[in-house]
Amino acid sequence: MELFGRKKGSRNTLIIKDHVIRFIQADEASLESIQRMEERYLPKDVIREGRIEDYETLEQILAECVEQWNLRNQPVQYCIPDVFVVARKVLLPDDIEKKEVAAYLYMEIGDSIPVPFEDPVFDFVYAPEGHAVILLTAPRYHVEAYASLLQRVRCKPNAADISALCFYRTLALSEAVSAKEHTLLLQVDLQAAMVSIYQKDKPLFVSHISLESGEELWEIKVGRMEEYHPVWMGADANLQQQMDTAADETERIMSFYRYSLQQGAHEIQKIIVGGDHPFLTMWVDTLAERVDIPVKQAEAIRFSTFEEEIPVRFFENAGLVLKENIRN
């Protein structure tokens, strides 16, 4: 239920994944101002690995959400599907000043700065050390496909972001992460996992991991209180295999980060696991058996002005609420 009318600068955040749409509305860029949290699970094969497979069905469902959540003609913020995001460190020429970086990247991406797709969109943050940036790119076609879909259902998309950055913002606000540490975040959903690494509040690495035997082995059930939740219908061995495969990849990334990106000078000091997977505790236990650093599960947070907890599965929406520099 919406408690108050919208004010100028209100945030309407949509996270659209393969299996679910999640929404948080806040009066301003503050978690204390959150007024509403909603979610709508999607049928199978409407979206697959971020690609819209059944545009008509997705548009119909999203239009219903827009009406139910009072989003018609409202500005909305959304995230680019994780699978399309590529992050890399780019060293800048000595003669390029900070005010010239955007123009330099615009000219050089696809030329002296290769990316794995044509016609990219990009953003960047300055690296913690050295005259360099962390370049974040995604294919324009898929980014604009979601923006176009939102416009068709009478929304006004005014900002796109990356789920890993949103997840980190929420953890940073709750003081679950420290800018001084080299922290690895593992976001686990039903069909995929996202690994990202941060130091001094900067994303130094982002990588997407697909989970085999994913979507077809989940069923969305309705509980006694009419809440929806995913139920694993496959064998326990298959579920454990997913965890082992992701743990192997996480260990490989940790080694790559230490020896290739940091030249042996630094290593991961802490791992935090979040996402909407129902068995996050098992993911934490699997990783904790492999590594000799703390592995912690993200925990729900509460603000005194909002009656409910913010569940971990809504952390990406919460971080999108906190995003700065959104035009109204």
Side-chain angles (χ1 to χ4, degrees):
M1 178 178 181
E2 191 172 21
L3 301 182
F4 304 103
R6 287 185 176 82
K7 302 174 183 177
K8 183 178 180 181
S10 66
R11 300 300 171 93
N12 304 296
T13 68
L14 288 173
I15 303 294
I16 304 175
K17 295 181 177 289
D18 287 10
H19 61 289
V20 70
I21 302 171
R22 291 198 174 95
F23 166 65
I24 281 184
Q25 188 272 324
D27 282 344
E28 56 187 12
S30 164
L31 301 192
E32 289 87 346
S33 71
I34 288 177
Q35 301 297 322
R36 189 170 187 173
M37 292 190 302
E38 304 281 354
E39 60 187 345
R40 169 80 177 266
Y41 280 90
L42 297 173
K44 295 177 181 178
D45 297 326
V46 172
I47 304 176
R48 182 178 290 275
E49 293 190 338
R51 292 171 173 82
I52 301 172
E53 300 288 342
D54 188 342
Y55 196 99
E56 183 177 346
T57 297
L58 181 58
E59 182 178 346
Q60 178 182 347
I61 292 173
L62 194 55
E64 293 171 1
C65 293
V66 166
E67 292 302 317
Q68 182 180 356
W69 300 338
N70 300 322
L71 291 175
R72 181 181 286 269
N73 298 322
Q74 296 295 322
V76 298
Q77 301 81 49
Y78 69 104
C79 275
I80 300 166
D82 294 337
V83 67
F84 302 132
V85 177
V86 175
R88 59 170 297 189
K89 185 175 182 178
V90 176
L91 298 176
L92 301 172
D94 293 338
D95 60 347
I96 296 295
E97 299 179 7
K98 278 194 172 184
K99 63 182 180 180
E100 302 172 322
V101 170
Y104 168 77
L105 294 174
Y106 180 82
M107 294 296 295
E108 296 300 325
I109 289 175
D111 190 3
S112 64
I113 304 174
V115 292
F117 34 72
E118 296 182 356
D119 194 18
V121 294
F122 73 92
D123 201 350
F124 65 92
V125 294
Y126 290 100
E129 299 174 355
H131 191 46
V133 296
I134 307 301
L135 178 65
L136 304 162
T137 59
R140 183 180 303 276
Y141 172 81
H142 292 294
V143 175
E144 293 185 347
Y146 281 88
S148 175
L149 176 64
L150 291 169
Q151 290 170 342
R152 285 180 62 85
V153 295
R154 302 296 188 268
C155 291
K156 299 178 180 179
N158 66 346
D161 208 341
I162 296 170
S163 74
L165 303 184
C166 295
F167 185 52
Y168 182 86
R169 283 191 207 109
T170 304
L171 293 173
L173 186 68
S174 65
E175 300 182 345
V177 293
S178 168
K180 297 179 181 179
E181 294 180 315
H182 295 256
T183 303
L184 184 147
L185 305 185
L186 179 63
Q187 297 161 254
V188 188
D189 295 328
L190 302 190
Q191 290 93 35
M194 189 74 165
V195 177
S196 53
I197 299 174
Y198 301 82
Q199 202 262 330
K200 294 184 180 179
D201 294 329
K202 306 294 185 182
L204 304 184
F205 182 89
V206 177
S207 180
H208 178 267
I209 304 173
S210 294
L211 302 178
E212 296 182 1
S213 302
E215 183 178 20
E216 67 277 6
L217 295 177
W218 289 101
E219 294 289 345
I220 306 302
K221 302 291 186 179
V222 184
R224 278 187 277 179
M225 303 300 293
E226 296 189 357
E227 78 281 6
Y228 288 80
H229 59 275
V231 176
W232 176 253
M233 306 301 291
D236 291 346
N238 288 351
L239 191 62
Q240 187 61 53
Q241 181 59 47
Q242 289 184 356
M243 298 177 189
D244 290 336
T245 298
D248 290 341
E249 180 65 11
T250 301
E251 286 187 289
R252 186 195 67 79
I253 290 171
M254 291 172 64
S255 179
F256 172 78
Y257 180 77
R258 179 179 183 180
Y259 295 109
S260 296
L261 296 185
Q262 298 293 334
Q263 289 76 50
H266 302 286
E267 61 183 321
I268 301 299
Q269 296 168 282
K270 180 168 64 177
I271 297 175
I272 298 179
V273 180
D276 66 8
H277 200 287
F279 303 110
L280 286 182
T281 300
M282 294 173 62
W283 286 81
V284 170
D285 293 343
T286 298
L287 269 176
E289 292 175 357
R290 303 284 198 93
V291 300
D292 58 359
I293 60 174
V295 182
K296 299 182 179 180
Q297 184 172 334
E299 298 180 352
I301 56 178
R302 181 187 294 274
F303 290 91
S304 59
T305 52
F306 186 54
E307 295 180 357
E308 302 177 53
E309 286 187 331
I310 302 175
V312 173
R313 69 182 187 276
F314 278 93
F315 273 22
E316 295 164 20
N317 290 84
L320 196 48
V321 167
L322 298 171
K323 180 179 175 65
E324 299 177 353
N325 301 322
I326 293 179
R327 68 180 185 274
N328 293 316

